[in-house]
Amino acid sequence: MQAAPVRATPIPSFTDALRAVESLLLSSGQRTARRNAWTSVLEDRRRAKDRVEAQRVLEEVTSARL
């Protein structure tokens, strides 16, 4: 039984394909702006999650004191 041949180049992921299309359609400044905007969205989501967790902890502490 023979092993499957090894590919010299890996099959690109969906993300890699999107980035390739993006590089063809957008200038580098637009790409940077889009990536910065997405990074900001992710950071806002993380902060919102942290706020919800902090609120939950505060409510637990407050209800434990009563």
Side-chain angles (χ1 to χ4, degrees):
M1 182 181 220
Q2 287 184 331
V6 177
R7 288 180 155 275
T9 57
I11 297 172
S13 69
F14 183 72
T15 302
D16 292 337
L18 284 178
R19 284 196 175 137
V21 170
E22 174 190 60
S23 69
L24 293 172
L25 298 177
L26 301 176
S27 69
S28 64
Q30 288 173 321
R31 276 195 310 270
T32 301
R34 187 194 59 79
R35 287 187 182 145
N36 288 344
W38 182 244
T39 300
S40 294
V41 167
L42 295 177
E43 184 63 22
D44 287 347
R45 288 178 181 175
R46 186 194 61 77
R47 281 194 299 264
K49 183 179 172 184
D50 289 347
R51 278 192 303 272
V52 168
E53 179 64 17
Q55 182 65 34
R56 185 189 63 77
V57 169
L58 287 172
E59 288 172 358
E60 285 180 7
V61 168
T62 304
S63 65
R65 287 186 178 178
L66 297 177

